[in-house]
Amino acid sequence: MQHSLPRSATHEVIFHYILTGRHPPYFGINRLEVVTCAVGQFMDQDMQVIAMNQPGPLIAAAIYVNSGRNRNQKSLYSFTAFSSFFNVRWPGGETYPAAAYISWYIALAFVNGRAMSDVFSIPLLGWLKDSSSPAQLVILRKDNHGAVEEMVVGTSALQPTSPPLGYAASTPDDVIAWLNQERTGAFCICPSDCGAELIFILKLRRKYVWVMLRTVGRSVQPEDIDMQTEFETLTDNLFSRVSPDTIEYDKPLKEALERLPNPLAPQGTLPVLRVLASFPTQPPLSRNAAQRAKGGPVAVLKNDTFQTVTESSPREDLIEALISSMHNHRLPYANHAFSPIKIGPASEPRKGKRKGSAEEPQKALEHDSSKARTLSDRLIRSIPRHLSPPSPQNLDAKPGPSSNVATDAVEEASSLPPPPNPKRVKKERNIPSKGSNIAKASTSSADIPRRQSPRNAKPQIDGSKELSLTPPDAVPLRRSPREHKPKKSGGT
């Protein structure tokens, strides 16, 4: 175990077991060195497939690596050792997959809530509104009825026997299924043909930030990294940019990103935070470079926080978690640990109702109805007792300037059809009118005046007498039919 390649493979397998509860994809013959160091074994008769899935050798190697005096070279949580593994290349060109180790660090960093600006260097913070607010790592999944549930990753989720926090996706379909909350895990460790190596979710003020992380700058100077090109890889065509044969996954991936619940991201952009990471030197990201990166907010992983958090973690928990994973002692997720979420904008108090809200039409309808009832009552009280109440369709009629109640009633009666029951129709009676002969009018209940005088109107019969709205000689509606002669006025 003195060579860097076997130690790099041991480090990789240990943290993949801790995060996912299972062995990473088997190695090829180019990692023969792990067999010669008695850590790995051949899995086929042709001796072309190598694995490190034997509990005894792997646990012994983990204890050896984790208990050395020189922590910079042998410790599992050494930032210096991890950085050296990150830049190692195997004979076939393979590199150290850092997704599992970075996931373990992210879980430690956000276990008790931490500001995103402490973990990521984000030049453009306007979309976060408050970069100092603590964010939490969460798991989203769908229940049996399709409702989305969440679980906040707390301290208990980091115990050696707790359920694995990572989901190892082996195909593009697995990545899309995880984005659709159909696979359980706080982290999605993506396959090699995906532009992102790691995807996880942070909760900030009742909204979610999907983070896509990609490692860059292996054996390259930080200033030589093409940041613009690397950020463009983390778009809605994660697969076709890496492998053109996977272009058929672009559409379902885009649809999955559009359906992400309650995303916190600028309007009209990809609802994810795109993050680049490099070790041991943090890649530079200026404000101008961030503005040129189209497609959504961008950031880089802060290496100083990375080193502080990883090197302060207890080493005993790693060995116990490895043993529990290799012996299948990790517990499943408990259903009571998840709670349903409300899909849609966060329910925040508003100072006033938004124009065009759903409550305005109902309030307007109630106001109009109340106004109509008030107008109806006022008109009914102004009608003479010998006339019938007005119908609703005539409430809008307005009296003219020289309106006369009796004359208007005659005009209305002449235009209406005969009543349905002629036996109950009153006999004609004479109603005096200014400058006219005796008019005939029906006093049945079907007679509805088109217009009524206002309450204080004083219609004139002649220059000396006034007609009261409630004449004393008005004939009741139900009195026996007979003719009534109007009293002669002094002017006729």
Side-chain angles (χ1 to χ4, degrees):
M1 296 290 294
Q2 298 297 322
H3 302 288
S4 60
L5 288 179
R7 285 191 286 114
S8 172
T10 303
H11 195 274
E12 171 189 346
V13 175
I14 289 174
F15 281 97
H16 200 279
Y17 261 120
I18 292 173
L19 259 294
T20 66
R22 64 181 187 178
H23 191 280
Y26 290 157
F27 307 134
I29 193 60
N30 58 339
R31 299 203 182 189
L32 180 61
E33 204 168 342
V34 299
V35 180
T36 61
C37 292
V39 182
Q41 64 174 346
F42 291 110
M43 299 299 295
D44 61 334
Q45 296 180 354
D46 298 333
M47 295 185 296
Q48 299 295 318
V49 180
I50 299 174
M52 300 173 63
N53 57 356
Q54 292 298 309
L58 184 60
I59 294 173
I63 295 174
Y64 173 81
V65 169
N66 200 44
S67 60
R69 292 182 180 179
N70 188 352
R71 62 183 298 171
N72 290 336
Q73 295 295 329
K74 296 183 179 181
S75 177
L76 287 176
Y77 56 86
S78 170
F79 178 77
T80 303
F82 166 72
S83 299
S84 64
F85 301 153
F86 179 79
N87 292 283
V88 164
R89 288 187 180 273
W90 290 85
E94 296 180 3
T95 59
Y96 175 88
Y101 190 73
I102 297 176
S103 299
W104 173 68
Y105 155 67
I106 293 295
L108 292 175
F110 289 100
V111 65
N112 293 319
R114 187 185 293 263
M116 293 180 60
S117 57
D118 292 343
V119 180
F120 310 107
S121 176
I122 311 174
L124 303 178
L125 292 170
W127 62 280
L128 286 177
K129 297 182 180 180
D130 185 8
S131 60
S132 61
S133 299
Q136 295 174 306
L137 180 68
V138 297
I139 301 175
L140 296 184
R141 74 171 188 182
K142 289 181 179 178
D143 61 9
N144 296 332
H145 304 286
V148 181
E149 301 175 322
E150 77 165 12
M151 187 191 84
V152 178
V153 177
T155 306
S156 60
L158 300 180
Q159 299 300 319
T161 57
S162 298
L165 291 176
Y167 169 72
S170 56
T171 64
D173 288 325
D174 294 336
V175 177
I176 296 173
W178 184 88
L179 290 173
N180 288 326
Q181 301 89 46
E182 297 172 358
R183 302 290 187 273
T184 304
F187 302 95
C188 177
I189 300 178
C190 304
S192 58
D193 56 352
C194 181
E197 299 177 32
L198 177 66
I199 309 175
F200 54 94
I201 311 169
L202 298 176
K203 183 180 181 181
L204 183 64
R205 299 191 309 273
R206 293 176 292 177
K207 286 185 175 292
Y208 303 106
V209 180
W210 274 260
V211 182
M212 290 184 179
L213 187 142
R214 175 180 174 84
T215 58
V216 296
R218 298 175 187 267
S219 303
V220 177
Q221 294 298 323
E223 58 271 13
D224 296 333
I225 301 174
D226 188 354
M227 304 290 285
Q228 189 73 21
T229 302
E230 297 293 347
F231 281 127
E232 290 178 356
T233 306
L234 298 173
T235 57
D236 53 2
N237 50 356
L238 289 172
F239 305 106
S240 61
R241 282 184 175 271
V242 179
S243 177
D245 297 336
T246 59
I247 192 173
E248 68 271 12
Y249 294 103
D250 287 351
K251 182 178 179 180
L253 175 62
K254 183 177 181 180
E255 293 175 351
L257 293 175
E258 291 175 351
R259 290 193 299 264
L260 295 179
N262 304 340
L264 178 61
Q267 294 292 333
T269 62
L270 193 68
V272 297
L273 175 63
R274 299 174 292 170
V275 179
L276 298 180
S278 182
F279 307 96
T281 306
Q282 178 179 318
L285 179 61
S286 63
R287 185 178 182 88
N288 293 334
Q291 291 176 344
R292 291 194 302 268
K294 299 180 180 180
V298 295
V300 295
L301 195 67
K302 284 187 174 181
N303 288 357
D304 54 351
T305 309
F306 187 99
Q307 182 175 359
T308 302
V309 173
T310 54
E311 291 187 349
S312 61
S313 62
R315 63 179 68 184
E316 293 80 8
D317 290 349
L318 296 178
I319 302 299
E320 294 180 12
L322 174 63
I323 296 173
S324 299
S325 299
M326 299 198 74
H327 291 281
N328 297 323
H329 292 166
R330 307 288 292 270
L331 300 174
Y333 286 100
N335 292 330
H336 63 80
F338 291 84
S339 59
I341 69 172
K342 181 180 179 181
I343 305 297
S347 55
E348 298 179 355
R350 295 177 179 269
K351 295 183 180 180
K353 293 298 181 181
R354 179 173 55 87
K355 183 178 180 180
S357 62
E359 296 183 4
E360 287 190 355
Q362 179 65 23
K363 289 187 175 181
L365 180 60
E366 294 176 358
H367 176 73
D368 292 343
S369 300
S370 176
K371 185 177 180 180
R373 287 193 299 268
T374 303
L375 179 61
S376 176
D377 295 340
R378 295 173 62 182
L379 289 175
I380 290 175
R381 287 194 300 267
S382 66
I383 300 174
R385 296 179 182 178
H386 66 287
L387 299 177
S388 300
S391 60
Q393 59 267 26
N394 291 328
L395 290 179
D396 296 332
K398 297 182 180 179
S402 61
S403 173
N404 185 288
V405 175
T407 306
D408 292 342
V410 173
E411 294 176 355
E412 176 65 17
S414 62
S415 62
L416 293 176
N421 188 1
K423 295 182 179 180
R424 303 182 63 179
V425 178
K426 304 293 183 181
K427 285 190 175 183
E428 299 178 356
R429 66 185 181 91
N430 298 327
I431 300 178
S433 179
K434 181 180 178 180
S436 63
N437 295 328
I438 296 177
K440 296 180 179 180
S442 173
T443 59
S444 68
S445 60
D447 295 337
I448 303 175
R450 183 179 300 275
R451 293 178 295 177
Q452 302 293 337
S453 298
R455 180 182 297 180
N456 299 324
K458 297 180 180 181
Q460 298 290 333
I461 295 178
D462 55 20
S464 59
K465 296 291 183 178
E466 294 183 357
L467 178 63
S468 174
L469 292 177
T470 310
D473 58 341
V475 182
L477 294 177
R478 298 297 181 182
R479 190 171 294 181
S480 59
R482 68 185 181 196
E483 293 185 358
H484 295 270
K485 294 182 180 180
K487 294 181 182 181
K488 293 183 179 181
S489 60
T492 55

